[in-house]
Amino acid sequence: MKLTSVDAPEFPRTLYTAEQTRQLDKRAIAGGIPGIQLMKRAGRAAFEQLLQRFPGPAAITVYCGGGNNAGDGYVIAGLAAQRRIPVRVIAVGDPQKLTGEAAEARDYALQEGVDVNALPERGPEEGVIVDALLGTGISGEVRPAYAEAIAQINQSALPVLAVDVPSGLNADTGTEMGTAVRAALTVTFIGAKRGLLTGRGLALCGELVFAGLGVPEAVYAEVPGECHRFELAEALAALPARAVDAHKGDFGHVMIIGGDTGYGGAAIMAAEAAARTGAGLVSLATRPEHVAPALTRRPEIMVCGVTSGQELEPWLARPTVLVVGPGLGQSPWSEQMLQQALQSGLPLVLDADALNLLAAQRPAVAEARDNWVLTPHPGEAARLLQSVTSEVQRDRFAAVAALQKRFGGAVILKGSGSLVATPEGPLEVISAGNPGMASGGMGDVLSGILGGLLAQGLSVDRAAALGAGLHAESADLAVGDWGERSLLATDLIPALCQLLQAEPGHV
């Protein structure tokens, strides 16, 4: 997703809920900015972005609902009329029932000669559509009249600008509330809403532009956000610089445990990712039949074939970090591997079937601990929470917070707009990534990256956020060479190396 800001160098780092954004709005008004002035600024910001993105529109059709979001739409319609651009408003509900600033905006549009019509049987066939139907106030399923308008917008195949939030998208959770507008461009105001950057938000917003509307910084200081957008350049600074006289023992030893029969490739990819992330030593404990392929693929990795937990135990004396799960399977062998890893007391990264075994209490239920990173996708998260995937996706923020509270350490809830919850600091949203990541092995590469970062001395908190960010940014870099349809997990590794070139230099 492309993120930009009209009045700042970059899209904001702090993300807000809808209620927090309303608090910002109220405090800005109390501080001396009239509400109608904020509405006019919002409408103008959106209108200017419309003309930049879709210059010379043949017509503009503004769909307006019954709240302040509609007021922004009426301002846009009035500005279009002033420019002599053919414009009309399609009102869902009675526009005469608008109150406050929204009613003032409606009157302004009428004074400029804008036609206001009820929802027609057929939508527009040319120009640009402006979605000003629902905004941030939605809390339940989209009502039928609005659902009909949204369907008409989506069926038009015309470019759509969404005002503040695509109608039908929950600004707090990123959930589609039954149906939602698919926008090419979303201009959001005052507070950057966290739901726009995860779940369905990334798919529905299109390009996302932030407009602060001149709200003073002092207002933001009064409403601290509890969620941040991850920024790679800042996080890379957490990687310690390498001394000129450094040796491999300074950068830890990662052991990958996985690769049950038929799944050897997953563990090999994780091991290679750990090595490329900068771990001093990387070893792999896997089924004996995978030893030769692993050494052929990457001879720098130390590979041991183990057939039981008893055979694995002596090998656990040397590693400083364990990554358990890539290709692990759910066989008795898998359980023994996980059991030994849990008993080691070493820092852990758990992924894939290690999480499924944990959820199934195989072996015994693990206590919460502060030295591990869990990396579930929504299905695995649901199993860990004894829930269902749809519930996890209904509120990804609540799910990742619940996982972190239950299991401790750091939790990365993967998916569109991955979320990172840690014991300290705000929840982080990874807005990078692309649909090309929907292929086998991506999670194995992430696990290896995380292991490599932990081995180099990063805390669980920092490793989780940086690892998830590096993984997503590597995919965005690699997709330029391979395209979304052809992207493979191992394609991320050269891109990962390129991103890591930005780390601090020698000391």
Side-chain angles (χ1 to χ4, degrees):
M1 171 187 276
K2 182 179 180 182
L3 305 176
T4 56
S5 175
V6 300
D7 45 17
E10 64 173 6
F11 195 88
R13 293 287 308 282
T14 303
L15 305 177
Y16 295 96
T17 64
E19 177 55 33
Q20 288 171 332
T21 305
R22 284 189 281 272
Q23 289 298 319
L24 291 171
D25 187 84
K26 290 177 181 177
R27 290 172 186 264
I29 293 172
I33 306 176
I36 187 61
Q37 186 65 36
L38 287 174
M39 185 170 286
K40 288 180 177 179
R41 291 178 185 178
R44 183 169 294 279
F47 181 64
E48 290 175 352
Q49 288 298 308
L50 185 153
L51 295 182
Q52 284 185 30
R53 178 69 184 272
F54 315 111
I60 297 176
T61 304
V62 185
Y63 284 75
C64 290
N68 281 347
N69 195 244
D72 299 338
Y74 280 105
V75 171
I76 294 170
L79 292 171
Q82 285 183 352
R83 293 284 192 95
R84 300 293 187 267
I85 300 172
V87 60
R88 63 170 173 156
V89 168
I90 294 176
V92 177
D94 185 356
Q96 295 305 313
K97 292 183 178 180
L98 292 172
T99 60
E101 290 88 1
E104 291 185 55
R106 174 204 61 206
D107 293 343
Y108 159 68
L110 293 174
Q111 290 169 8
E112 294 297 330
V114 175
D115 289 331
V116 179
N117 310 110
L119 186 69
E121 291 186 5
R122 298 181 60 183
E125 297 181 352
E126 63 177 356
V128 177
I129 291 175
V130 173
D131 161 33
L133 285 169
L134 291 172
T136 62
I138 188 169
S139 58
E141 293 285 299
V142 174
R143 290 177 289 173
Y146 285 91
E148 184 180 353
I150 290 170
Q152 194 172 95
I153 291 171
N154 289 340
Q155 291 167 5
S156 72
L158 297 177
V160 178
L161 181 151
V163 176
D164 204 20
V165 178
S167 291
L169 176 68
N170 188 305
D172 288 348
T173 65
T175 303
E176 185 174 341
M177 307 301 285
T179 186
V181 166
R182 296 190 297 269
L185 173 67
T186 299
V187 184
T188 196
F189 311 118
I190 299 182
K193 289 79 179 170
R194 66 184 197 176
L196 305 185
L197 298 177
T198 194
R200 290 289 291 156
L202 291 168
L204 295 172
C205 286
E207 180 183 346
L208 185 57
V209 178
F210 174 77
L213 308 186
V215 173
E217 285 298 320
V219 170
Y220 293 97
E222 296 174 4
V223 186
E226 300 172 353
C227 183
H228 283 182
R229 179 179 60 85
F230 174 82
E231 183 62 44
L232 180 61
E234 179 181 305
L236 277 172
L239 277 176
R242 296 197 164 196
V244 173
D245 58 349
H247 59 85
K248 62 188 177 185
D250 294 333
F251 307 114
H253 179 170
V254 179
M255 172 175 273
I256 311 297
I257 301 175
D260 199 355
T261 302
Y263 301 104
I268 294 169
M269 286 189 286
E272 184 172 359
R276 289 297 191 185
T277 303
L281 293 167
V282 178
S283 58
L284 168 60
T286 186
R287 286 283 193 179
E289 60 264 31
H290 298 141
V291 171
L295 291 173
T296 301
R297 168 74 186 188
R298 186 52 60 199
E300 295 88 347
I301 296 168
M302 299 172 287
V303 190
C304 58
V306 293
T307 59
S308 68
Q310 187 175 3
E311 284 190 14
L312 173 65
E313 187 175 5
W315 293 99
L316 298 179
R318 296 181 61 193
T320 57
V321 176
L322 303 180
V323 175
V324 190
L328 183 66
Q330 299 189 44
S331 68
W333 178 86
S334 314
E335 290 186 44
Q336 293 176 43
M337 297 298 108
L338 179 58
Q339 178 75 59
Q340 290 291 345
L342 292 172
Q343 291 177 351
S344 72
L346 292 170
L348 296 172
V349 178
L350 297 190
D351 182 36
D353 275 325
L355 298 172
N356 291 326
L357 290 171
L358 192 67
Q361 301 181 14
R362 297 165 51 201
V365 179
E367 297 296 326
R369 53 196 292 173
D370 60 8
N371 68 339
W372 62 5
V373 182
L374 310 185
T375 65
H377 60 54
E380 293 159 348
R383 289 187 279 277
L384 288 166
L385 293 171
Q386 298 183 333
S387 181
V388 293
T389 303
S390 60
E391 284 297 317
V392 170
Q393 292 294 77
R394 185 169 288 116
D395 192 338
R396 289 168 54 81
F397 294 93
V400 75
L403 285 166
Q404 197 285 319
K405 182 178 180 180
R406 162 65 182 85
F407 293 100
V411 179
I412 302 170
L413 178 57
K414 297 184 290 194
S416 181
S418 292
L419 306 180
V420 183
T422 61
E424 304 293 336
L427 191 151
E428 296 209 51
V429 181
I430 312 296
S431 57
N434 61 77
M437 300 174 75
S439 64
M442 289 290 173
D444 305 312
V445 170
L446 171 61
S447 294
I449 292 171
L450 293 167
L453 294 174
L454 288 172
Q456 293 172 78
L458 267 67
S459 68
V460 164
D461 294 21
R462 289 185 173 182
L466 178 54
L470 277 169
H471 185 246
E473 297 274 3
S474 296
D476 283 349
L477 191 58
V479 81
D481 293 327
W482 298 99
E484 292 179 353
R485 197 173 301 276
S486 300
L487 190 67
L488 297 178
T490 50
D491 296 332
L492 272 60
I493 294 178
L496 168 69
C497 297
Q498 186 174 338
L499 290 174
L500 288 171
Q501 290 175 15
E503 68 177 288
H506 298 299
V507 295

